[in-house]
Amino acid sequence: MTDEAAEHGARTAQILLDTGAILLRPQKPFMFSSGWASPVYVDAHRALSFPMARRALLEGAEARIQDALGYDGFDTVAATEQGGVALAAMLAARFHLPFVTVRRRPQGFGADAHIEGALKPGARCLLVSDVTTDGRSKIAYCRALRRAGAEVTQI
């Protein structure tokens, strides 16, 4: 990890603490959709409720993404439904790129019922989610994007 990455990580952790977004329940762990139990939950939506914190988090995310992928590493930002939508939409706006949402299950209508929005064939997608435990659901989202003709190499 670079010094800059460590600095972004430390800044992010401080913002999460300052906004009360890190919740601790060691006696009654949080149950995640993966089936895992955890005494810690990060409420990203709470942190995004604070304008200055939101701006700092987005600046940090933008810098980390650009460091990892460069300016030409992707041309579409895709969100996992619900939790990833707010963050992904804001990142898409910062990068001036198209935005789509990937549904967990098909809705039964539309050209590709898993995808909401205009996904161009061959789009190189950055998939954004608000939480990851074991990655199983993210694999399903990637498969849906690929079935719709997108390329997903980074999550």
Side-chain angles (χ1 to χ4, degrees):
M1 181 184 304
T2 67
D3 289 342
E4 190 173 335
E7 185 179 314
H8 285 302
R11 188 174 318 127
T12 297
Q14 190 62 58
I15 290 167
L16 295 174
L17 287 168
D18 290 349
T19 59
I22 298 177
L23 307 175
L24 301 172
R25 274 195 343 210
Q27 306 309 325
K28 186 180 176 194
F30 298 93
M31 290 302 296
F32 296 138
S33 59
S34 65
W36 291 13
S38 174
V40 179
Y41 176 75
V42 178
D43 185 355
H45 295 276
R46 180 173 175 81
L48 294 176
S49 296
F50 296 84
M52 290 178 66
R54 180 176 60 236
R55 184 179 67 224
L57 289 169
L58 288 168
E59 287 170 359
E62 181 179 4
R64 293 280 295 151
I65 291 166
Q66 287 176 344
D67 287 347
L69 302 176
Y71 288 94
D72 195 34
F74 57 101
D75 53 33
T76 301
V77 178
T80 59
E81 67 180 326
Q82 295 180 340
V85 172
L87 183 57
M90 288 185 273
L91 285 170
R94 289 184 75 90
F95 287 118
H96 304 283
L97 292 175
F99 166 76
V100 298
T101 302
V102 187
R103 292 190 171 277
R104 196 168 302 199
R105 287 179 270 297
Q107 296 300 298
F109 48 85
D112 185 316
H114 271 99
I115 311 299
E116 297 288 338
L119 181 66
K120 292 182 181 178
R124 294 170 299 130
C125 293
L126 171 75
L127 180 62
V128 177
S129 183
D130 65 331
V131 68
T132 298
T133 50
D134 64 1
R136 282 185 288 172
S137 63
K138 304 321 170 270
I139 291 168
Y141 289 120
C142 289
R143 285 183 183 138
L145 284 164
R146 289 178 181 133
R147 277 194 304 274
E151 177 185 327
V152 183
T153 59
Q154 301 291 327
I155 301 174

Coordinates of all heavy atoms in Angstrom, one line a residue, residues 45-142:
H45 N -24.5 5.2 4.3 CA -25.5 6.2 4.1 C -25.5 7.3 5.1 O -25.7 8.4 4.8 CB -26.9 5.5 4.0 CG -27.0 4.6 2.9 ND1 -27.4 5.0 1.6 CD2 -26.9 3.3 2.8 CE1 -27.4 4.0 0.8 NE2 -27.1 2.9 1.5
R46 N -25.2 6.9 6.3 CA -25.1 8.0 7.4 C -23.9 8.9 7.0 O -24.1 10.1 7.1 CB -24.9 7.3 8.7 CG -24.8 8.4 9.8 CD -24.7 7.8 11.2 NE -24.5 8.8 12.2 CZ -25.5 9.6 12.7 NH1 -26.7 9.5 12.3 NH2 -25.2 10.5 13.6
A47 N -22.8 8.4 6.7 CA -21.6 9.2 6.4 C -22.0 10.2 5.2 O -21.5 11.3 5.2 CB -20.4 8.4 6.1
L48 N -22.7 9.7 4.2 CA -23.0 10.5 3.0 C -24.0 11.6 3.4 O -24.3 12.5 2.6 CB -23.6 9.6 1.9 CG -22.6 8.6 1.3 CD1 -23.3 7.7 0.3 CD2 -21.4 9.3 0.7
S49 N -24.7 11.5 4.5 CA -25.6 12.5 4.9 C -25.0 13.8 5.3 O -25.6 14.9 5.4 CB -26.4 12.0 6.1 OG -27.2 10.9 5.8
F50 N -23.7 13.8 5.6 CA -22.9 15.0 6.0 C -22.2 15.6 4.8 O -21.2 14.9 4.2 CB -21.9 14.6 7.1 CG -22.6 14.1 8.3 CD1 -22.9 12.8 8.5 CD2 -22.8 15.0 9.4 CE1 -23.6 12.4 9.6 CE2 -23.4 14.6 10.6 CZ -23.8 13.3 10.7
P51 N -22.6 16.8 4.3 CA -22.0 17.3 3.0 C -20.5 17.3 3.0 O -19.9 16.9 2.0 CB -22.6 18.7 2.9 CG -23.9 18.5 3.6 CD -23.6 17.6 4.8
M52 N -19.8 17.8 4.0 CA -18.4 17.9 4.0 C -17.7 16.5 4.0 O -16.7 16.3 3.3 CB -17.9 18.8 5.1 CG -18.2 20.3 4.9 SD -17.7 21.3 6.3 CE -15.9 21.2 6.2
A53 N -18.3 15.6 4.8 CA -17.8 14.2 4.8 C -18.0 13.6 3.4 O -17.1 12.9 2.9 CB -18.5 13.5 5.9
R54 N -19.2 13.8 2.9 CA -19.5 13.2 1.6 C -18.5 13.7 0.5 O -17.9 12.9 -0.3 CB -20.9 13.6 1.1 CG -21.3 13.0 -0.2 CD -22.8 13.3 -0.5 NE -23.1 14.7 -0.6 CZ -24.0 15.4 0.2 NH1 -24.7 14.7 1.0 NH2 -24.2 16.6 0.0
R55 N -18.2 15.0 0.5 CA -17.2 15.5 -0.5 C -15.9 14.9 -0.3 O -15.2 14.5 -1.2 CB -17.2 17.0 -0.4 CG -16.2 17.6 -1.4 CD -16.1 19.1 -1.4 NE -15.5 19.5 -0.2 CZ -15.9 20.5 0.6 NH1 -16.9 21.2 0.3 NH2 -15.2 20.8 1.7
A56 N -15.4 14.8 1.0 CA -14.1 14.2 1.2 C -14.1 12.7 0.9 O -13.1 12.2 0.3 CB -13.7 14.4 2.7
L57 N -15.1 12.0 1.2 CA -15.2 10.6 0.8 C -15.2 10.4 -0.7 O -14.5 9.5 -1.2 CB -16.4 9.9 1.4 CG -16.4 9.7 2.9 CD1 -17.8 9.3 3.4 CD2 -15.4 8.7 3.3
L58 N -15.9 11.2 -1.4 CA -15.9 11.1 -2.9 C -14.6 11.5 -3.5 O -14.1 10.9 -4.4 CB -17.0 12.0 -3.5 CG -18.4 11.4 -3.2 CD1 -19.5 12.5 -3.6 CD2 -18.7 10.2 -4.1
E59 N -13.9 12.5 -2.9 CA -12.6 12.9 -3.4 C -11.6 11.7 -3.2 O -10.8 11.4 -4.1 CB -12.1 14.2 -2.7 CG -12.8 15.4 -3.2 CD -12.5 16.6 -2.3 OE1 -11.7 16.5 -1.3 OE2 -13.0 17.7 -2.6
G60 N -11.7 11.1 -2.1 CA -10.8 10.0 -1.8 C -11.1 8.8 -2.7 O -10.1 8.2 -3.2
A61 N -12.3 8.5 -2.9 CA -12.7 7.4 -3.8 C -12.3 7.7 -5.2 O -11.7 6.8 -5.9 CB -14.2 7.1 -3.7
E62 N -12.5 8.9 -5.6 CA -12.1 9.2 -7.0 C -10.5 9.1 -7.2 O -10.1 8.5 -8.2 CB -12.5 10.7 -7.3 CG -12.1 11.1 -8.7 CD -12.5 12.6 -9.0 OE1 -13.0 13.3 -8.1 OE2 -12.4 13.0 -10.2
A63 N -9.8 9.5 -6.2 CA -8.3 9.4 -6.3 C -7.9 8.0 -6.3 O -7.0 7.6 -7.1 CB -7.7 10.2 -5.1
R64 N -8.5 7.2 -5.4 CA -8.1 5.7 -5.4 C -8.4 5.0 -6.6 O -7.7 4.2 -7.1 CB -8.8 5.1 -4.2 CG -8.3 5.5 -2.8 CD -7.0 4.9 -2.4 NE -7.2 3.5 -2.2 CZ -6.3 2.6 -2.4 NH1 -5.1 2.9 -2.7 NH2 -6.6 1.3 -2.2
I65 N -9.6 5.3 -7.2 CA -10.0 4.7 -8.4 C -9.1 5.1 -9.6 O -8.7 4.2 -10.4 CB -11.5 5.0 -8.7 CG1 -12.4 4.3 -7.7 CG2 -11.9 4.6 -10.2 CD1 -13.9 4.8 -7.7
Q66 N -8.8 6.3 -9.7 CA -7.9 6.8 -10.7 C -6.5 6.2 -10.6 O -5.9 5.8 -11.6 CB -7.8 8.3 -10.7 CG -9.1 8.9 -11.3 CD -9.1 10.4 -11.3 OE1 -8.3 11.1 -10.6 NE2 -10.0 11.1 -12.0
D67 N -6.0 6.1 -9.3 CA -4.7 5.4 -9.1 C -4.7 4.0 -9.6 O -3.8 3.5 -10.1 CB -4.3 5.5 -7.6 CG -3.9 6.9 -7.1 OD1 -3.7 7.7 -8.0 OD2 -3.8 7.1 -5.9
A68 N -5.8 3.3 -9.3 CA -5.9 1.9 -9.6 C -6.2 1.6 -11.1 O -5.6 0.6 -11.6 CB -7.0 1.2 -8.7
L69 N -7.0 2.4 -11.7 CA -7.5 2.1 -13.0 C -7.0 3.1 -14.1 O -7.2 2.9 -15.3 CB -9.0 2.1 -13.1 CG -9.6 1.1 -12.1 CD1 -11.2 1.2 -12.2 CD2 -9.2 -0.3 -12.5
G70 N -6.5 4.3 -13.7 CA -6.2 5.3 -14.6 C -7.4 6.0 -15.1 O -8.5 5.8 -14.7
Y71 N -7.2 7.0 -16.0 CA -8.3 7.8 -16.5 C -9.1 7.1 -17.6 O -10.2 7.5 -17.9 CB -7.8 9.1 -17.0 CG -7.3 10.1 -15.9 CD1 -6.0 10.1 -15.6 CD2 -8.3 10.9 -15.3 CE1 -5.6 10.9 -14.5 CE2 -7.8 11.7 -14.3 CZ -6.5 11.7 -13.9 OH -6.1 12.6 -12.9
D72 N -8.6 6.0 -18.1 CA -9.2 5.3 -19.2 C -9.5 3.9 -18.9 O -9.7 3.1 -19.8 CB -8.4 5.4 -20.5 CG -9.2 5.0 -21.7 OD1 -10.4 5.3 -21.8 OD2 -8.6 4.4 -22.6
G73 N -9.6 3.6 -17.6 CA -9.9 2.2 -17.2 C -11.3 1.7 -17.3 O -11.5 0.5 -17.2
F74 N -12.2 2.6 -17.4 CA -13.7 2.2 -17.4 C -14.4 3.4 -18.1 O -13.9 4.5 -18.1 CB -14.2 1.9 -16.1 CG -14.1 3.0 -15.1 CD1 -15.1 3.8 -14.8 CD2 -12.8 3.3 -14.4 CE1 -15.0 4.9 -13.9 CE2 -12.7 4.3 -13.5 CZ -13.8 5.1 -13.2
D75 N -15.6 3.1 -18.6 CA -16.4 4.2 -19.3 C -17.8 4.2 -18.8 O -18.6 5.0 -19.3 CB -16.3 4.0 -20.8 CG -16.7 2.7 -21.3 OD1 -17.6 2.0 -20.7 OD2 -16.1 2.2 -22.3
T76 N -18.1 3.4 -17.8 CA -19.5 3.4 -17.2 C -19.4 3.0 -15.7 O -18.5 2.2 -15.4 CB -20.4 2.3 -17.9 OG1 -20.4 2.6 -19.3 CG2 -21.8 2.3 -17.3
V77 N -20.2 3.6 -14.9 CA -20.2 3.3 -13.5 C -21.5 2.5 -13.2 O -22.6 3.0 -13.6 CB -20.1 4.5 -12.6 CG1 -20.2 4.2 -11.1 CG2 -18.8 5.3 -12.9
A78 N -21.4 1.3 -12.7 CA -22.6 0.5 -12.4 C -22.7 0.4 -10.9 O -21.7 0.2 -10.2 CB -22.4 -0.9 -13.0
A79 N -24.0 0.5 -10.4 CA -24.2 0.3 -9.0 C -25.0 -1.0 -8.7 O -25.8 -1.4 -9.5 CB -25.1 1.5 -8.5
T80 N -24.7 -1.6 -7.6 CA -25.5 -2.6 -7.1 C -26.8 -2.0 -6.5 O -26.7 -0.9 -6.0 CB -24.8 -3.4 -5.9 OG1 -24.5 -2.5 -4.9 CG2 -23.5 -4.1 -6.4
E81 N -27.9 -2.7 -6.7 CA -29.2 -2.0 -6.3 C -29.2 -1.7 -4.9 O -28.5 -2.3 -4.1 CB -30.4 -2.9 -6.7 CG -30.4 -4.2 -5.9 CD -31.6 -5.1 -6.3 OE1 -32.7 -4.5 -6.7 OE2 -31.5 -6.3 -6.3
Q82 N -29.9 -0.7 -4.5 CA -30.1 -0.2 -3.2 C -28.8 0.4 -2.7 O -28.5 1.6 -3.0 CB -30.6 -1.2 -2.2 CG -32.0 -1.7 -2.6 CD -32.6 -2.7 -1.6 OE1 -31.8 -3.3 -0.9 NE2 -33.9 -2.8 -1.6
G83 N -28.0 -0.3 -1.9 CA -26.9 0.3 -1.2 C -25.8 1.1 -2.1 O -25.3 2.1 -1.6
G84 N -25.6 0.6 -3.3 CA -24.5 1.2 -4.1 C -25.0 2.3 -4.9 O -24.1 3.1 -5.5
V85 N -26.3 2.6 -5.0 CA -26.8 3.6 -6.0 C -26.3 5.0 -5.7 O -25.8 5.7 -6.6 CB -28.3 3.5 -6.0 CG1 -28.9 4.7 -6.8 CG2 -28.8 2.2 -6.6
A86 N -26.5 5.4 -4.5 CA -26.1 6.8 -4.1 C -24.6 7.1 -4.4 O -24.2 8.0 -5.1 CB -26.4 7.2 -2.7
L87 N -23.7 6.2 -3.9 CA -22.3 6.4 -4.1 C -21.9 6.3 -5.6 O -21.2 7.1 -6.1 CB -21.5 5.4 -3.3 CG -20.0 5.5 -3.3 CD1 -19.5 6.8 -2.9 CD2 -19.4 4.4 -2.4
A88 N -22.5 5.3 -6.3 CA -22.1 5.1 -7.7 C -22.6 6.3 -8.5 O -21.9 6.8 -9.5 CB -22.7 3.8 -8.2
A89 N -23.8 6.8 -8.3 CA -24.4 7.9 -9.0 C -23.5 9.2 -8.8 O -23.2 9.9 -9.8 CB -25.8 8.2 -8.6
M90 N -23.0 9.4 -7.6 CA -22.2 10.6 -7.4 C -20.8 10.4 -8.0 O -20.3 11.3 -8.6 CB -22.0 10.8 -5.9 CG -23.3 11.3 -5.2 SD -23.1 11.7 -3.5 CE -23.5 10.1 -2.7
L91 N -20.3 9.2 -8.0 CA -19.0 8.9 -8.7 C -19.2 9.1 -10.2 O -18.3 9.7 -10.9 CB -18.5 7.6 -8.3 CG -17.9 7.4 -7.0 CD1 -17.6 6.0 -6.6 CD2 -16.6 8.2 -6.8
A92 N -20.3 8.6 -10.8 CA -20.5 8.8 -12.2 C -20.5 10.2 -12.6 O -20.0 10.7 -13.6 CB -21.8 8.1 -12.6
A93 N -21.2 11.0 -11.7 CA -21.2 12.5 -12.0 C -19.8 13.1 -11.9 O -19.5 13.9 -12.7 CB -22.2 13.2 -11.0
R94 N -19.0 12.7 -10.9 CA -17.7 13.2 -10.8 C -16.8 12.9 -12.0 O -16.0 13.7 -12.4 CB -17.0 12.7 -9.5 CG -17.6 13.3 -8.3 CD -16.8 12.8 -7.0 NE -15.5 13.5 -6.9 CZ -15.3 14.6 -6.3 NH1 -16.3 15.3 -5.7 NH2 -14.1 15.2 -6.2
F95 N -17.0 11.6 -12.5 CA -16.2 11.2 -13.7 C -16.8 11.6 -15.0 O -16.2 11.3 -16.1 CB -16.0 9.6 -13.6 CG -15.1 9.1 -12.6 CD1 -15.5 8.3 -11.5 CD2 -13.7 9.5 -12.6 CE1 -14.6 7.9 -10.6 CE2 -12.8 9.0 -11.6 CZ -13.3 8.2 -10.6
H96 N -18.0 12.1 -15.0 CA -18.7 12.5 -16.2 C -19.0 11.3 -17.1 O -18.7 11.3 -18.3 CB -18.0 13.6 -17.0 CG -17.8 14.8 -16.1 ND1 -18.7 15.8 -15.8 CD2 -16.6 15.3 -15.5 CE1 -18.2 16.7 -15.1 NE2 -17.0 16.4 -14.8
L97 N -19.5 10.2 -16.5 CA -19.7 9.0 -17.2 C -21.1 8.5 -17.0 O -21.8 8.9 -16.1 CB -18.7 7.9 -16.6 CG -17.3 8.1 -16.9 CD1 -16.5 7.0 -16.2 CD2 -17.0 8.0 -18.4
P98 N -21.6 7.6 -17.9 CA -22.9 7.0 -17.8 C -23.0 6.2 -16.5 O -22.0 5.7 -16.0 CB -23.0 6.1 -19.0 CG -22.0 6.6 -20.0 CD -20.9 7.2 -19.1
F99 N -24.2 6.1 -16.0 CA -24.6 5.4 -14.8 C -25.7 4.4 -15.0 O -26.7 4.7 -15.7 CB -25.0 6.4 -13.7 CG -25.6 5.8 -12.5 CD1 -24.9 5.1 -11.6 CD2 -27.0 5.8 -12.4 CE1 -25.5 4.6 -10.5 CE2 -27.6 5.3 -11.2 CZ -26.9 4.6 -10.3
V100 N -25.5 3.1 -14.5 CA -26.6 2.1 -14.6 C -26.7 1.4 -13.2 O -25.7 1.5 -12.4 CB -26.3 1.1 -15.7 CG1 -26.3 1.7 -17.1 CG2 -25.0 0.3 -15.4
T101 N -27.8 0.8 -13.0 CA -28.0 0.0 -11.8 C -28.2 -1.4 -12.2 O -28.9 -1.7 -13.1 CB -29.2 0.5 -11.0 OG1 -29.1 1.9 -10.7 CG2 -29.4 -0.2 -9.7
V102 N -27.6 -2.3 -11.4 CA -27.7 -3.8 -11.7 C -28.6 -4.3 -10.6 O -28.3 -4.1 -9.4 CB -26.3 -4.5 -11.6 CG1 -26.5 -5.9 -12.0 CG2 -25.3 -3.8 -12.5
R103 N -29.7 -5.0 -11.0 CA -30.6 -5.6 -10.0 C -30.1 -7.0 -9.6 O -29.5 -7.7 -10.4 CB -32.0 -5.7 -10.6 CG -32.6 -4.3 -10.8 CD -34.1 -4.5 -11.1 NE -34.8 -3.3 -11.1 CZ -35.3 -2.7 -10.1 NH1 -35.1 -3.2 -8.9 NH2 -35.9 -1.5 -10.2
R104 N -30.5 -7.4 -8.4 CA -30.1 -8.7 -7.9 C -30.8 -9.8 -8.7 O -30.3 -10.8 -9.0 CB -30.6 -8.7 -6.4 CG -30.0 -9.9 -5.7 CD -30.3 -9.6 -4.2 NE -29.7 -8.3 -3.9 CZ -29.4 -7.9 -2.7 NH1 -29.6 -8.7 -1.6 NH2 -28.8 -6.8 -2.5
R105 N -32.1 -9.5 -9.0 CA -32.9 -10.5 -9.8 C -33.6 -9.7 -10.9 O -34.0 -8.6 -10.8 CB -34.0 -11.1 -8.9 CG -33.4 -12.1 -7.9 CD -34.5 -12.7 -7.0 NE -34.7 -11.9 -5.7 CZ -33.9 -11.8 -4.7 NH1 -32.6 -12.2 -4.9 NH2 -34.2 -11.1 -3.6
P106 N -33.8 -10.4 -12.0 CA -34.5 -9.7 -13.1 C -35.9 -9.3 -12.8 O -36.5 -10.0 -12.0 CB -34.5 -10.8 -14.2 CG -33.9 -12.0 -13.7 CD -33.4 -11.8 -12.3
Q107 N -36.3 -8.2 -13.3 CA -37.6 -7.7 -13.1 C -38.7 -8.2 -14.0 O -39.9 -8.0 -13.8 CB -37.6 -6.2 -13.1 CG -36.8 -5.6 -12.0 CD -37.2 -5.9 -10.6 OE1 -38.3 -5.6 -10.2 NE2 -36.4 -6.7 -9.9
G108 N -38.2 -8.9 -15.1 CA -39.2 -9.5 -16.0 C -39.6 -8.6 -17.2 O -40.5 -8.9 -17.9
F109 N -39.0 -7.5 -17.3 CA -39.3 -6.6 -18.4 C -38.1 -5.8 -18.9 O -37.1 -5.8 -18.2 CB -40.4 -5.6 -18.1 CG -40.2 -4.9 -16.8 CD1 -39.5 -3.8 -16.7 CD2 -40.8 -5.4 -15.6 CE1 -39.3 -3.1 -15.4 CE2 -40.6 -4.8 -14.4 CZ -39.8 -3.7 -14.3
G110 N -38.1 -5.2 -20.0 CA -37.0 -4.4 -20.5 C -36.0 -5.3 -21.3 O -36.1 -6.6 -21.3
A111 N -35.1 -4.7 -22.0 CA -34.1 -5.4 -22.9 C -33.3 -6.4 -22.1 O -33.1 -7.5 -22.5 CB -33.2 -4.4 -23.6
D112 N -32.8 -6.0 -20.9 CA -32.2 -6.9 -20.0 C -32.7 -6.5 -18.6 O -32.3 -5.5 -18.1 CB -30.6 -6.8 -20.1 CG -30.0 -7.8 -19.2 OD1 -30.4 -8.0 -18.1 OD2 -29.0 -8.4 -19.7
A113 N -33.5 -7.4 -18.1 CA -34.3 -7.0 -16.9 C -33.4 -6.9 -15.7 O -33.8 -6.4 -14.7 CB -35.3 -8.1 -16.6
H114 N -32.1 -7.2 -15.8 CA -31.2 -7.0 -14.6 C -30.6 -5.6 -14.6 O -30.2 -5.2 -13.5 CB -30.0 -8.0 -14.7 CG -30.2 -9.3 -14.1 ND1 -30.5 -10.4 -14.8 CD2 -30.1 -9.7 -12.8 CE1 -30.6 -11.4 -14.0 NE2 -30.3 -11.0 -12.8
I115 N -30.7 -4.9 -15.7 CA -30.0 -3.6 -15.8 C -31.0 -2.5 -15.9 O -31.9 -2.6 -16.7 CB -29.1 -3.6 -17.1 CG1 -28.1 -4.8 -17.1 CG2 -28.3 -2.3 -17.1 CD1 -27.2 -5.0 -16.0
E116 N -30.8 -1.4 -15.1 CA -31.6 -0.2 -15.2 C -30.8 0.8 -15.8 O -29.7 1.1 -15.3 CB -32.2 0.2 -13.8 CG -33.1 -0.8 -13.2 CD -34.4 -0.9 -13.8 OE1 -34.8 0.1 -14.5 OE2 -35.1 -1.9 -13.6
G117 N -31.2 1.5 -16.8 CA -30.4 2.5 -17.5 C -29.9 2.1 -18.8 O -30.2 1.0 -19.3
A118 N -29.2 3.0 -19.5 CA -28.7 2.7 -20.9 C -27.3 2.2 -20.8 O -26.4 2.9 -20.6 CB -28.8 4.0 -21.7
L119 N -27.2 0.8 -21.0 CA -25.8 0.2 -21.0 C -25.4 -0.1 -22.4 O -26.1 -0.8 -23.1 CB -25.9 -1.1 -20.2 CG -24.6 -1.9 -20.1 CD1 -23.5 -1.0 -19.3 CD2 -24.8 -3.2 -19.4
K120 N -24.4 0.6 -22.8 CA -23.9 0.4 -24.2 C -23.2 -1.0 -24.3 O -22.5 -1.4 -23.4 CB -22.9 1.5 -24.6 CG -23.5 2.8 -24.7 CD -22.5 3.8 -25.1 CE -23.1 5.2 -25.2 NZ -22.1 6.2 -25.6
P121 N -23.3 -1.7 -25.4 CA -22.6 -2.9 -25.7 C -21.1 -2.7 -25.6 O -20.6 -1.7 -26.1 CB -23.0 -3.3 -27.1 CG -24.3 -2.6 -27.3 CD -24.2 -1.3 -26.6
G122 N -20.4 -3.5 -24.9 CA -19.0 -3.4 -24.7 C -18.5 -2.4 -23.7 O -17.3 -2.1 -23.5
A123 N -19.5 -1.8 -22.9 CA -19.2 -0.9 -21.9 C -18.2 -1.5 -20.9 O -18.4 -2.7 -20.5 CB -20.4 -0.4 -21.2
R124 N -17.2 -0.7 -20.5 CA -16.3 -1.2 -19.4 C -16.7 -0.6 -18.1 O -16.6 0.6 -17.9 CB -14.8 -0.8 -19.8 CG -14.3 -1.4 -21.1 CD -13.0 -0.9 -21.6 NE -13.2 0.6 -21.9 CZ -12.4 1.5 -21.4 NH1 -11.4 1.3 -20.7 NH2 -12.7 2.8 -21.7
C125 N -17.3 -1.5 -17.3 CA -18.0 -1.0 -16.1 C -17.1 -1.1 -14.8 O -16.4 -2.1 -14.6 CB -19.2 -1.9 -15.8 SG -20.5 -1.6 -17.0
L126 N -17.2 -0.1 -14.0 CA -16.7 -0.1 -12.6 C -17.9 -0.4 -11.8 O -18.9 0.4 -11.8 CB -16.1 1.2 -12.3 CG -15.7 1.4 -10.8 CD1 -14.5 0.6 -10.5 CD2 -15.6 2.8 -10.4
L127 N -17.9 -1.5 -11.1 CA -19.1 -1.9 -10.2 C -18.8 -1.3 -8.8 O -17.8 -1.6 -8.2 CB -19.2 -3.4 -10.1 CG -20.4 -3.9 -9.3 CD1 -21.7 -3.5 -9.8 CD2 -20.3 -5.5 -9.2
V128 N -19.8 -0.6 -8.3 CA -19.7 0.1 -7.0 C -20.8 -0.5 -6.1 O -22.0 -0.5 -6.5 CB -19.9 1.6 -7.2 CG1 -19.9 2.3 -5.8 CG2 -18.8 2.2 -8.1
S129 N -20.4 -0.8 -4.9 CA -21.3 -1.3 -3.9 C -21.0 -0.7 -2.6 O -19.9 -0.2 -2.4 CB -21.2 -2.8 -3.7 OG -22.2 -3.3 -2.8
D130 N -21.9 -0.7 -1.6 CA -21.7 0.0 -0.3 C -21.1 -1.0 0.7 O -20.5 -0.6 1.7 CB -22.9 0.6 0.2 CG -24.0 -0.4 0.6 OD1 -24.1 -1.5 -0.1 OD2 -24.8 -0.2 1.5
V131 N -21.1 -2.3 0.4 CA -20.6 -3.3 1.3 C -20.2 -4.6 0.6 O -20.8 -4.9 -0.4 CB -21.6 -3.6 2.4 CG1 -22.8 -4.3 1.9 CG2 -21.0 -4.4 3.6
T132 N -19.2 -5.2 1.1 CA -18.8 -6.5 0.6 C -18.4 -7.4 1.7 O -17.6 -7.0 2.5 CB -17.6 -6.4 -0.4 OG1 -18.1 -5.6 -1.5 CG2 -17.2 -7.7 -1.0
T133 N -18.9 -8.6 1.8 CA -18.5 -9.5 2.8 C -17.7 -10.7 2.1 O -16.5 -10.6 2.0 CB -19.7 -10.1 3.7 OG1 -20.7 -10.5 2.8 CG2 -20.2 -9.0 4.6
D134 N -18.5 -11.6 1.5 CA -17.8 -12.7 0.9 C -17.7 -12.6 -0.7 O -17.1 -13.4 -1.3 CB -18.5 -14.0 1.2 CG -19.9 -14.1 0.7 OD1 -20.4 -13.2 0.0 OD2 -20.6 -15.1 1.0
G135 N -18.3 -11.6 -1.2 CA -18.2 -11.3 -2.7 C -19.2 -12.1 -3.5 O -19.3 -11.9 -4.7
R136 N -20.0 -13.0 -3.0 CA -20.9 -13.8 -3.8 C -21.9 -13.0 -4.6 O -22.1 -13.2 -5.7 CB -21.6 -14.9 -2.9 CG -20.7 -16.1 -2.6 CD -21.5 -17.1 -1.9 NE -21.8 -16.6 -0.5 CZ -22.6 -17.1 0.4 NH1 -23.2 -18.2 0.1 NH2 -22.7 -16.6 1.6
S137 N -22.5 -12.0 -3.9 CA -23.5 -11.2 -4.6 C -22.8 -10.4 -5.7 O -23.4 -10.1 -6.7 CB -24.3 -10.4 -3.6 OG -23.4 -9.4 -3.0
K138 N -21.6 -9.9 -5.4 CA -20.9 -9.1 -6.5 C -20.6 -9.9 -7.7 O -20.7 -9.4 -8.8 CB -19.6 -8.5 -5.9 CG -19.8 -7.6 -4.6 CD -21.0 -6.8 -4.6 CE -21.3 -6.1 -3.3 NZ -22.1 -6.9 -2.4
I139 N -20.4 -11.2 -7.5 CA -20.1 -12.1 -8.7 C -21.4 -12.1 -9.5 O -21.4 -12.1 -10.7 CB -19.7 -13.5 -8.2 CG1 -18.2 -13.3 -7.6 CG2 -19.7 -14.5 -9.4 CD1 -17.8 -14.6 -6.9
A140 N -22.5 -12.3 -8.8 CA -23.8 -12.3 -9.5 C -24.1 -11.0 -10.3 O -24.6 -11.0 -11.4 CB -25.0 -12.6 -8.6
Y141 N -23.8 -9.9 -9.7 CA -24.0 -8.6 -10.4 C -23.0 -8.5 -11.6 O -23.5 -8.1 -12.7 CB -23.6 -7.4 -9.4 CG -24.7 -7.2 -8.4 CD1 -24.3 -7.3 -7.0 CD2 -26.0 -6.9 -8.7 CE1 -25.2 -7.0 -6.0 CE2 -26.9 -6.6 -7.7 CZ -26.5 -6.7 -6.4 OH -27.5 -6.5 -5.4
C142 N -21.8 -9.0 -11.5 CA -20.9 -9.0 -12.6 C -21.4 -9.9 -13.7 O -21.3 -9.5 -14.9 CB -19.5 -9.4 -12.2 SG -18.6 -8.3 -11.1

